[in-house]
Amino acid sequence: MSLTGQILPLAGVVIGAALSFLVTGLNERTRWRRQQAVRWDEARLAAYVEYAHAVKELAARYQRIAVGRGLTAGSLPLELTGEVLDGIRAADSHRSALSDKLELLGDTAANTAAKRLNHCLWHLEYLAQGLPTAGGQGWDQAYAEFRAARRQYLDHARASLGVAGPAVGEAAAWPPAWRTDGSPAG
């Protein structure tokens, strides 16, 4: 057998092995990137949801305090006691920790919306506790701004996660028609 007849099959084996190695490496890299994307999407989703829940919980407490102080209509008034203040401090500390997690994992638009949401939440806190605020804005207007900021945050979080379309249609406006007091509770 000639030297050329021996080299060509050997070269074919070497080229085949190299191509096989290259394709396997590319497939593994693609699989790893896909797993990483899923992992970070899951972490991002958890951060968005946990933060939204913490903010909603604090706003509900502030609203109950506002009801107790006669700033708005609603059920389940809450008196501003030392125990209530301790619970609010703990809940706000938790919200703050979640805010840091969100800042690490969230995209710019969602993080910016979260900052605006924080400002609206703090405005509710000041009003509920009777602390002075600039502008003389009442509870109902501040709560409406909070709800709009929360909706904007959720919309940006959905977009960051690749969820298309609005979360709620126009038919689900607030407050619902059955509410007789017209308050922005809920």
Side-chain angles (χ1 to χ4, degrees), residues 27 29-39:
N27 283 338
R29 179 180 285 190
T30 301
R31 186 176 63 82
W32 182 82
R33 285 183 179 165
R34 188 173 33 248
Q35 287 174 338
Q36 289 298 100
V38 168
R39 177 178 151 204

Side-chain angles (χ1 to χ4, degrees), residues 11 36 84 89 101 111 124 163 176 185:
Q36 289 298 100
V84 169
R89 280 188 210 99
K101 181 179 179 181
N111 286 342
L124 293 181
V163 180

Side-chain angles (χ1 to χ4, degrees), residues 54-138:
V55 167
K56 188 175 183 179
E57 180 183 323
L58 275 166
R61 289 184 190 195
Y62 296 146
Q63 182 180 17
R64 289 182 60 201
I65 293 168
V67 168
R69 293 189 64 238
L71 299 176
T72 188
S75 59
L76 302 172
L78 187 62
E79 186 179 330
L80 193 57
T81 64
E83 185 179 325
V84 169
L85 283 172
D86 288 344
I88 286 173
R89 280 188 210 99
D92 191 55
S93 178
H94 180 66
R95 181 215 48 83
S96 180
L98 292 173
S99 179
D100 291 342
K101 181 179 179 181
L102 182 66
E103 196 163 329
L104 289 170
L105 296 171
D107 72 0
T108 303
N111 286 342
T112 302
K115 295 296 182 195
R116 181 172 182 270
L117 183 56
N118 282 339
H119 291 205
C120 291
L121 182 67
W122 294 328
H123 191 192
L124 293 181
E125 176 186 20
Y126 270 55
L127 290 172
Q129 293 184 21
L131 300 172
T133 62
Q137 189 179 37

